[in-house]
Amino acid sequence: MGMSDSQFKSFIRFLLLALKDMLSETDPEKKKAKMDEILNNLQKALED
């Protein structure tokens, strides 16, 4: 089943917010952990 335009835009907003949050992190370990979480969530979305 596909996504509607509205659902896709919502997903992009979620991803954008997560990336901005990761980029604002100053601690390198926390930044990497946040990036790993984003990547894992994207991978899980592809597998669903």
Side-chain angles (χ1 to χ4, degrees):
M1 180 175 190
M3 253 187 208
S4 70
D5 284 347
S6 178
Q7 288 170 320
F8 182 70
K9 287 178 183 179
S10 179
F11 173 75
I12 296 298
R13 279 195 225 48
F14 166 78
L15 181 57
L16 186 59
L17 183 62
L19 288 170
K20 285 181 177 181
D21 182 48
M22 182 274 304
L23 286 174
S24 70
E25 183 58 63
T26 57
D27 183 287
E29 284 186 29
K30 289 181 182 179
K31 185 176 244 180
K32 182 180 179 333
K34 287 183 179 190
M35 179 53 95
D36 289 342
E37 182 178 7
I38 292 167
L39 292 172
N40 286 335
N41 286 338
L42 289 171
Q43 183 64 45
K44 286 177 189 174
L46 286 175
E47 293 169 0
D48 285 347

